[in-house]
Amino acid sequence: QQQVKQSPQSLIVQKGGISIINCAYENTAFDYFPWYQQFPGKGPALLIAIRPDVSEKKEGRFTISFNKSAKQFSLHIMDSQPGDSATYFCAATYSGAGSYQLTFGKGTKLSVIP
Amino acid sequence: DTAVSQTPKYLVTQMGNDKSIKCEQNLGHDTMYWYKQDSKKFLKIMFSYNNKELIINETVPNRFSPKSPDKAHLNLHINSLELGDSAVYFCASRKGLIYNEQFFGPGTRLTVL
């Protein structure tokens, strides 16, 4: 049973546009939601994360929006750049998840075209 | 100054062989993980380990075993390799008992022929 559902599977955005990736979770115990960015041939790296006590977190061009009642969260990339082209993973965990194991979504391959 | 390193980067082997992948972190972290990333890029936790407990994902075959000689190392041993074991394996580490960032290694691409 997949506990974190991510969409879309792939996304093509024009340079300067807004990229939006959505995730939905099932386990109401989750209380930490990070996003990881992975470039080809590299390991994932933390991009931005949010706790459910806030509805939005912004870091530069990257924003997480969180809707606790709907059990959904999303990543917005403003002014998307070709250098943002990568695979993005949402994830979730909670303190009872045994060493804070992350449950990942299936990933979204973002391509930003000039 | 590599934070999490893995060796080898590529591993090609025959079915039935036994192989190991090594992981080292120089961050002073106390929890380490192994993930499997399949051909569709799906990342799945295999193990998490700190000096107090080993947590094994229930779907991981017992042919896979983590071995930690010390806090900085968590190696992955795989016995009787199968075609379905072909994937990229990532080691990661994290500090402390709260919600801290997991740092991932560069990955090891395992190909079983």
Side-chain angles (χ1 to χ4, degrees), chain B residues 22-66:
Chain B
K22 295 184 177 181
C23 177
E24 176 181 3
Q25 54 93 6
N26 62 5
L27 298 167
H29 290 172
D30 44 26
T31 302
M32 297 183 73
Y33 307 85
W34 277 105
Y35 288 87
K36 179 180 181 181
Q37 187 171 48
D38 61 23
S39 58
K40 296 184 178 180
K41 298 290 189 181
F42 184 43
L43 270 168
K44 189 172 183 180
I45 183 74
M46 300 178 69
F47 306 99
S48 61
Y49 182 81
N50 62 27
N51 59 359
K52 296 181 181 178
E53 64 177 347
L54 168 66
I55 298 176
I56 302 172
N57 184 302
E58 60 186 11
T59 65
V60 175
N62 58 15
R63 299 180 294 103
F64 290 78
S65 58

Side-chain angles (χ1 to χ4, degrees), chain A residues 75-93:
Chain A
L75 176 69
H76 292 64
I77 306 174
M78 310 299 289
D79 187 26
S80 299
Q81 299 296 313
D84 297 331
S85 298
T87 300
Y88 292 80
F89 294 92
C90 61
T93 189

Side-chain angles (χ1 to χ4, degrees), chain A residues 68-109:
Chain A
K68 187 174 181 178
S69 60
K71 295 187 288 184
Q72 295 175 346
F73 59 109
S74 60
L75 176 69
H76 292 64
I77 306 174
M78 310 299 289
D79 187 26
S80 299
Q81 299 296 313
D84 297 331
S85 298
T87 300
Y88 292 80
F89 294 92
C90 61
T93 189
Y94 63 104
S95 60
S99 292
Y100 301 91
Q101 289 187 6
L102 290 171
T103 298
F104 282 91
K106 290 193 172 183
T108 296
K109 184 176 181 180

